[in-house]
Structure formats: C-alpha cells, structure tokens
Amino acid sequence: MKKMNFGLQNNIKMNTIIEEVKCPFYHVVGKEVEVFEQVYQNKLPILLKGPTGTGKSRFVEFMANKLGKKLITISCHEETSSTDLIGRFIIKGAETIWLDGPLTTAVKNGYILYLDEVAEARPDVIVAIHSLTDHRRELFIDKLGETYKAHDDFMLVASFNPGYQRGFKELKPSTRQRFVALSFQYPEPKVEQEILVQETGIEHDVAKKIVILGNKVRNLTELGLTETVSTRLLVDAAKIIHSGLAKRLAVKVAVMEPLSDEKQILEALYDLTDLMI
Ligand code: ADP
C-alpha cells in the first residue's frame, strides 16, 4: 500500500490510499461481481448501500484488483470538502503551485475513486461530483477555471449506510438517482461462517457458534441497538480467539461491548454469550 500526498491539511483526517496488487479475500454473496463489471464497462457510477461492516469496502478492493485498476479510497466525514477532493494551491518556496486532490488524480489517470460514507461529507462534495455522474463525465475545477474530461477508465464508487438514524445524513433522491445501486446485507450464516474461517483461520465449529450468536443478536430488535452485529465484529472476535484469547471473553469484548454502553443491555448480551459460546 502506497500513501499519496495530496497536500491535505493536518486537521483533515483522510484515509487516502492507493491499493496495490495483492488481491484481498472476498467471498461473493450474490450477483455483485457481474453488476460491478457491467457498470464499469458502461462508465456509470455505482452506489453501495448497506450497514457498516457488510463487506462494501472489501468488495471495492476486490473489484479494483480483479479489473486491474488502481483504487483511491476516501473515508468521508463531516469535514470532507470539495477542496479536499479536487485540490488546492500550496505555497512552495516563493511559488504558489497547484496540487491535484484525489478526485482530480483519479479522473485524470483513470483510477477507481471510492467515496466511503459519502453522505457524511459536506454538501459541496456532492456538487463537485455532479457532472462526473452523468453523460458528461467531466470535472470542473473552479479555482483553475478548467474542465477535465474523465479518463475512459475512471469510475466513481460511493457507499452509503441507509440505516443512520441521525436524520440529516441522508442522500437526496436526486443524488441517489445518479448512481446504479447495489444493496449489501449480512451474509447468510453459511457464507458468513466461511468468511470467518477464511479471514482468520479459526475452526469451523467455533465460527459456526459465533455466527449463530451474531444472528441471534441481530434478531433481538427489542434491544433497540442503533447498529447491530456486523460481519466485521464477528471477524474481529474470530481473530482474537484464533490468536489465543478465551472464546467467551473474545466475543464479549469484540462483539458485545462495541454494541452498547447500557448496563442492562450489556448484561443481557453477556448472558447470551455465556449461554451460546
Ligand atoms: P463496510 O465497508 O461495509 O463497512 P468492510 O468491507 O470493511 O465493510 O468489511 C468489514 C470486514 O468484514 C472485512 O474486513 C472482512 O473481514 C469482512 N467481510 C465482510 N463481508 C465479506 C465478504 N463478503 N468477503 C470477505 N470478507 C468480508
């Protein structure tokens, strides 16, 4: 993995990386590979919808690798602005020079740009990508007064978690309708079990128990959890079990504790763990 310098300000946290050759493990769940390939060939943008930890980012890394494309990932947050994506002037010695941001770099060079949690970003980000998400496929850089046609291989991928309860972090229908969209959900138990085994090397029977417990918690809607058990949490538990932590303790710290801070809820989740693991 190679870090790139896009001249970002220190106070802006951005995870901007270009993935290199090693193909990540991704367990295909449905028709997502075919869909992505067709969308890519037709130069359309794609929106991956679904709760956190359901394999959206892993899927993008896998597809970039499969298509032999470079990938730039931006983890969007409330401070992410169009300037962060497009670029800015910086002072170097006596000169002021322009530094392309990750979006401009991807547009010019034909990379895949992945805007993870795009709804978190500032509204001007949506404005900036507007003309890239329709037939024009161009990027306007107002600070330079220039418009760039996207490289033939450029692709825009965004992810969005529709489960957010915060109200203001919705994507407008007019924005959503600019993307082909794919839904991600928690995989069925057999697949999720296989993911745990492949990702961590844990034994099948232990993986099975963890997955059954995960599904049990997902069905406990009465707990009123804002976000429920993701595959990521189950993988984390499997990892620390595989490296030697006691199973129940591992599940409690990796799966249950991140879910809630309420004493009563945690007690119920701990009881369930003791019962099932
Ligand atoms: P998201 O981007 O949806 O928040 P990630 O792609 O980061 O989720 O997935 C979280 C973790 O879950 C991954 O690091 C991986 O270990 C595991 N995972 C989830 N789905 C899959 C899958 N289909 N194949 C392989 N690993 C998966």
Side-chain angles (χ1 to χ4, degrees):
M1 233 160 24
K2 188 174 84 184
K3 290 258 177 205
M4 287 199 86
N5 176 19
F6 293 111
L8 299 170
Q9 289 163 354
N10 288 338
N11 62 343
I12 296 171
K13 282 199 209 105
M14 236 203 263
N15 169 20
T16 311
I17 43 177
I18 293 206
E19 306 293 337
E20 278 166 2
V21 272
K22 197 174 152 266
C23 189
F25 160 70
Y26 177 75
H27 195 303
V28 178
V29 181
K31 301 273 182 212
E32 69 274 28
V33 174
E34 283 163 74
V35 171
F36 195 100
E37 280 173 344
Q38 291 302 326
V39 171
Y40 176 75
Q41 274 176 29
N42 285 282
K43 304 189 194 323
L44 295 168
I46 194 162
L47 180 67
L48 312 180
K49 306 187 291 179
T52 185
T54 43
K56 300 184 292 298
S57 305
R58 180 62 68 90
F59 173 62
V60 181
E61 287 165 25
F62 171 77
M63 287 310 300
N65 203 280
K66 192 169 191 296
L67 296 167
K69 296 287 148 216
K70 282 201 169 151
L71 170 69
I72 302 182
T73 300
I74 312 286
S75 300
C76 299
H77 55 84
E78 61 259 18
E79 297 294 321
T80 308
S81 68
S82 61
T83 302
D84 297 326
L85 298 192
I86 292 175
R88 52 166 51 90
F89 285 106
I90 57 162
I91 296 171
K92 204 171 182 192
E95 277 182 295
T96 305
I97 58 163
W98 172 260
L99 202 61
D100 282 343
L103 175 62
T104 311
T105 304
V107 164
K108 283 183 179 172
N109 296 290
Y111 300 161
I112 296 177
L113 185 87
Y114 176 40
L115 297 177
D116 193 8
E117 298 289 0
V118 68
E120 292 285 313
R122 289 199 198 165
D124 65 351
V125 165
I126 304 292
V127 177
I129 61 173
H130 205 264
S131 54
L132 282 166
T133 54
D134 56 34
H135 65 281
R136 290 172 287 173
R137 280 178 52 94
E138 43 183 49
L139 174 66
F140 175 61
I141 306 185
D142 58 350
K143 288 190 182 115
L144 299 176
E146 282 176 28
T147 300
Y148 290 99
K149 265 258 172 260
H151 186 291
D152 257 5
D153 294 350
F154 169 75
M155 183 184 197
L156 182 66
V157 183
S159 77
F160 166 60
N161 180 350
Y164 272 176
Q165 302 293 310
R166 297 184 228 161
F168 58 96
K169 296 292 184 190
E170 274 297 325
L171 266 191
K172 283 200 289 185
S174 55
T175 305
R176 299 167 63 125
Q177 291 207 16
R178 297 187 151 265
F179 292 84
V180 174
L182 258 177
S183 275
F184 281 69
Q185 275 307 329
Y186 307 113
E188 58 175 270
K190 276 217 168 91
V191 173
E192 196 163 42
Q193 193 183 316
E194 193 55 36
I195 292 171
L196 261 56
V197 171
Q198 294 270 344
E199 277 282 280
T200 69
I202 201 171
E203 285 159 22
H204 278 274
D205 60 330
V206 183
K208 189 173 177 182
K209 279 188 186 165
I210 297 174
V211 169
I212 292 174
L213 176 59
N215 277 297
K216 181 91 187 157
V217 178
R218 284 171 192 157
N219 291 328
L220 290 176
T221 44
E222 62 270 27
L223 292 183
L225 300 168
T226 347
E227 293 257 324
T228 187
V229 181
S230 67
T231 306
R232 179 186 291 123
L233 293 186
L234 301 184
V235 168
D236 290 348
K239 273 184 187 157
I240 52 180
I241 289 172
H242 188 61
S243 68
L245 200 66
K247 295 186 195 73
R248 281 182 188 170
L249 179 58
V251 169
K252 285 173 184 171
V253 296
V255 181
M256 305 310 179
E257 287 288 344
L259 291 181
S260 177
D261 299 318
E262 280 182 47
K263 197 167 169 274
Q264 274 182 337
I265 292 182
L266 273 175
E267 272 171 13
L269 294 172
Y270 270 37
D271 286 349
L272 198 62
T273 309
D274 292 336
L275 202 70
M276 297 180 68
I277 300 287

